[in-house]
Amino acid sequence: MKCRIASIPPDSLLFQLKRIDYTDGFMYHLPGKKDFTADDIQSSFWYEIPGWVQWLMKIRKILVKPLGLRGQFLTSPEAFSRGIRSGSGDGIMSVPMKNRQETVVKLSDKHLHSYMSVYIRRKEDSTTVILNSAVQFHNRLGQLYFIAIKPFHKLVVKSMLRRAIRRLVGSGL
């Protein structure tokens, strides 16, 4: 299975946003009908962050502290998962939109809002998982920040999506 570039599905909840300044997306097309939900993928995505990503986040935390940006994303993976499933959120994360096929997580800070949508498309013989990021910049700092992290963002998201799906369906990816 290959991770492919994906656009926002036409019926995605992300289109309810008033403005999107940046978007990207990745998808996996899996054979067979899978039982997991968008909540399951979101929870799995954030559950066990790889060491190299944790290292990048530590560097980010040091670099953004003088700018007054938040350094801590999660209180704990378990609390984050409870927030996703209940729709209530946890820490800087909230769940502003969800339905049967999609869960949208929002991470908020003073420089930008970042939305991560997991959308599940099921067919009789396959399941497609689409993860879209959508960003709203609040100011010039948000734009500059995102220019700096964009290459890492894509690498991290693709890697963590693959790990999340593997965790749920096994090592066939």
Side-chain angles (χ1 to χ4, degrees):
M1 289 311 127
K2 280 196 167 191
C3 184
R4 302 195 188 282
I5 293 174
S7 56
I8 299 173
D11 58 339
S12 171
L13 297 169
L14 288 175
F15 286 112
Q16 294 179 19
L17 298 175
K18 291 183 180 11
R19 182 183 98 244
I20 298 175
D21 297 315
Y22 170 84
T23 185
D24 63 26
F26 305 99
M27 72 176 190
Y28 277 98
H29 185 72
L30 307 169
K33 198 169 184 180
K34 307 299 182 199
D35 291 333
F36 54 72
T37 65
D39 284 358
D40 293 335
I41 296 287
Q42 286 278 13
S43 295
S44 181
F45 184 91
W46 296 102
Y47 184 73
E48 185 182 314
I49 297 173
W52 66 273
V53 175
Q54 290 178 27
W55 183 79
L56 286 174
M57 296 304 284
K58 285 178 186 173
I59 291 172
R60 177 206 173 273
K61 185 176 181 177
I62 291 166
L63 294 174
V64 302
K65 188 174 183 176
L67 303 174
L69 304 182
R70 296 182 187 188
Q72 184 71 28
F73 281 105
L74 305 175
T75 53
S76 75
E78 294 80 13
F80 201 79
S81 181
R82 281 192 305 274
I84 288 168
R85 293 181 190 289
S86 70
S88 63
D90 176 60
I92 69 168
M93 180 275 290
S94 62
V95 181
M97 300 173 274
K98 71 190 286 186
N99 62 27
R100 283 184 3 173
Q101 66 192 26
E102 184 176 18
T103 300
V104 178
V105 167
K106 176 183 177 184
L107 301 171
S108 298
D109 208 336
K110 71 179 188 180
H111 63 307
L112 57 76
H113 290 313
S114 176
Y115 297 85
M116 190 175 87
S117 159
V118 171
Y119 181 101
I120 309 288
R121 181 180 297 136
R122 295 186 202 311
K123 293 187 178 176
E124 193 67 31
D125 61 347
S126 65
T127 303
T128 303
V129 177
I130 302 169
L131 185 147
N132 289 104
S133 299
V135 181
Q136 295 173 331
F137 304 122
H138 296 319
N139 49 41
R140 187 81 173 132
L141 175 60
Q143 293 171 329
L144 293 172
Y145 168 84
F146 199 74
I147 287 169
I149 68 145
K150 185 177 168 183
F152 302 104
H153 162 80
K154 289 183 175 189
L155 183 65
V156 167
V157 169
K158 284 169 51 174
S159 174
M160 288 179 61
L161 177 59
R162 181 182 181 108
R163 285 174 62 103
I165 295 170
R166 271 188 172 166
R167 193 173 291 111
L168 293 172
V169 301
S171 60
L173 292 180

